[in-house]
Amino acid sequence: MDQRKRRKELSQEIRKTIIDKHVKGKGYKTISKQLDVPVTTVAHIIQKFKIHGTVANLPGRGRRRKIDVKSKRRIIQMVTKEPRKTSKEIQGELQAQGTSVSDRTIRRCLSQSGLHGRRPRRTPLLKTNHKKARLEFAKLHVDKPQRFWENVLWTDETKIELFAKAHQLYVHRQKNEAYQEKNTVPSVKHGGGSVMFWGCFAAFGTGCLESVQGTMKSQDYQGILERNVLASVRKLGLSRRSWVLQQDNDPKLTAKNTQEWLRGKHWTILKWPSMSPDLNPIEHLWKELKHAVWKRHPSNLRQLEQFAHEEWAKIPAEKCRSLIDSYRNRLIAVIASKGCATKY
């Protein structure tokens, strides 16, 4: 056995056995061999017994903690109440209360308690009316049958930049290789340009994807719907009688002339709560699409558009089905958070 490996602390029973064998006249090496315990450990236990008359752990072992239980509880309460409070600020408050401790010790204390420093997630700015509307939507639809969600055509727009943002990518490199070309991301003004896309999907796969030229106005939006909605409904095999169109509350979508145009179509529109990207599963597909396009390193906007259409068509139907099968979980999460933002 490798003596260099760190051993677990010996039990009280083994320590007592060592003393019993020593009292019976056994030598250190014999005891070590019989119990598979290092000779030095055997000697230490016997010596300790001779001096203190016990094999139990003595009080005061180890370095004394800088933070007592009361101070630790106070630190946890501070960050639980105000998660953005820094270790320096906590140090200052403790100092004012007569407790002197370093900010490094405070960070270690928080880490040991499972409170690690993390970047805050970016979520929409939800006002009271937004939370109320989201909660009402979730409660109204949480018990809808699965076939209802299977017949929803989910729609949205997204912008894809020609060059991925550096904070969205990682490279594995040596310390002195930061500026090697393979480890850098080209940086140009305004992201090198971008393309706006309108797309849709349902439980059975992705529908049409169309690039948007210039700024989309209400008339442009109507044209996109005219060219793509029914074509996608037919392609995806949605029920002609019970399919539902989902769209967000962007001004061009809720404009008076767009609403009149939609009424003329006699389509069923899903009443949607504002500021609710987490309720639209297409957001997951947008993220997947962007990464797939960026991996192919388009060199111009024309290539970007081409790659986007190709990658959109490659998204497996199973992925779409999974997003819809689990949709009820989103509604449950909104109800649990009382209308606040969720992990979705």
Side-chain angles (χ1 to χ4, degrees):
M1 180 177 286
D2 186 356
Q3 298 294 336
R4 291 173 298 177
K5 290 183 179 178
R6 185 172 182 177
R7 293 170 172 266
K8 291 183 179 179
E9 188 176 78
L10 295 182
S11 66
Q12 293 281 344
E13 185 179 350
I14 293 177
R15 297 181 196 183
K16 289 178 181 178
T17 303
I18 290 173
I19 299 303
D20 290 341
K21 289 182 178 294
H22 174 66
V23 171
K24 291 178 182 178
K26 302 289 184 181
Y28 289 6
K29 290 184 179 180
T30 303
I31 296 173
S32 171
K33 189 173 182 180
Q34 289 179 350
L35 299 179
D36 190 24
V37 177
V39 176
T40 53
T41 303
V42 172
H44 175 75
I45 290 172
I46 293 172
Q47 190 66 21
K48 178 180 176 180
F49 182 78
K50 288 179 178 179
I51 296 172
H52 301 286
T54 181
V55 294
N57 291 335
L58 299 175
R61 297 175 74 235
R63 182 179 176 182
R64 185 179 179 183
R65 291 182 177 274
K66 289 186 176 182
I67 300 179
D68 58 22
V69 176
K70 186 177 179 181
S71 296
K72 182 177 180 180
R73 188 163 56 243
R74 192 182 305 146
I75 290 170
I76 294 172
Q77 287 173 348
M78 285 182 191
V79 295
T80 301
K81 187 177 180 180
E82 298 181 55
R84 298 184 186 182
K85 189 180 286 292
T86 67
S87 56
K88 286 285 187 184
E89 291 171 340
I90 295 172
Q91 181 188 30
E93 290 191 26
L94 291 177
Q95 192 95 38
Q97 296 169 4
T99 302
S100 180
V101 64
S102 71
D103 60 322
R104 183 178 178 183
T105 300
I106 292 170
R107 289 195 298 272
R108 185 168 58 247
C109 168
L110 292 171
S111 181
Q112 290 170 350
S113 302
L115 295 166
H116 305 285
R118 305 289 189 206
R119 287 184 179 179
R121 294 286 193 270
R122 292 185 178 275
T123 59
L125 179 60
L126 296 174
K127 299 180 180 178
T128 303
N129 60 315
H130 296 141
K131 295 175 186 177
K132 182 180 179 182
R134 284 164 53 81
L135 188 57
E136 288 176 355
F137 176 86
K139 288 181 176 179
L140 184 63
H141 294 86
V142 70
D143 292 322
K144 286 281 187 182
Q146 187 61 26
R147 64 179 178 274
F148 173 84
W149 301 114
E150 290 174 354
N151 279 295
V152 173
L153 185 69
W154 303 89
T155 72
D156 195 23
E157 305 90 46
T158 194
K159 181 174 70 173
I160 304 181
E161 294 183 343
L162 183 58
F163 295 109
K165 295 178 180 177
H167 70 265
Q168 294 172 321
L169 299 172
Y170 294 90
V171 293
H172 299 282
R173 61 172 176 79
Q174 296 291 337
K175 187 176 180 180
N176 59 348
E177 297 177 347
Y179 289 95
Q180 289 186 11
E181 188 173 355
K182 65 180 181 179
N183 296 327
T184 62
V185 176
S187 176
V188 293
K189 289 185 177 180
H190 313 298
S194 61
V195 179
M196 179 72 75
F197 292 92
W198 176 94
C200 62
F201 92 105
F204 306 103
T206 54
C208 298
L209 181 74
E210 182 171 324
S211 59
V212 180
Q213 306 302 323
T215 303
M216 189 195 298
K217 298 179 181 178
S218 58
Q219 291 84 358
D220 302 319
Y221 180 68
Q222 294 165 29
I224 289 173
L225 296 185
E226 184 71 60
R227 291 187 294 274
N228 297 288
V229 169
L230 291 182
S232 296
V233 168
R234 289 191 292 268
K235 173 190 174 184
L236 298 171
L238 302 187
S239 171
R240 291 187 179 182
R241 292 185 177 181
S242 60
W243 74 274
V244 178
L245 176 67
Q246 179 277 334
Q247 58 178 6
D248 60 28
N249 292 320
D250 188 279
K252 60 182 173 290
L253 282 61
T254 57
K256 187 176 180 180
N257 60 348
T258 300
Q259 292 301 306
E260 290 175 355
W261 183 86
L262 286 170
R263 279 193 289 272
K265 290 294 182 181
H266 303 291
W267 295 342
T268 303
I269 311 296
L270 183 63
K271 188 176 180 182
W272 194 251
S274 299
M275 309 294 284
S276 299
D278 56 338
L279 285 174
N280 192 347
I282 201 173
E283 296 291 344
H284 289 258
L285 299 188
W286 288 144
K287 183 178 180 181
E288 194 168 306
L289 175 66
K290 290 177 182 180
H291 283 285
V293 169
W294 287 331
K295 279 183 180 179
R296 295 179 64 177
H297 306 293
S299 58
N300 54 58
L301 296 181
R302 188 174 179 179
Q303 267 195 351
L304 186 152
E305 187 174 341
Q306 176 192 337
F307 293 167
H309 280 94
E310 291 172 359
E311 296 300 329
W312 183 252
K314 290 180 186 177
I315 294 176
E318 293 78 15
K319 174 72 175 179
C320 301
R321 163 61 70 175
S322 174
L323 290 171
I324 302 308
D325 284 348
S326 61
Y327 189 74
R328 187 170 183 268
N329 294 337
R330 297 171 185 261
L331 303 176
I332 292 172
V334 170
I335 294 171
S337 68
K338 298 180 181 179
C340 292
T342 67
K343 67 177 183 179
Y344 297 98

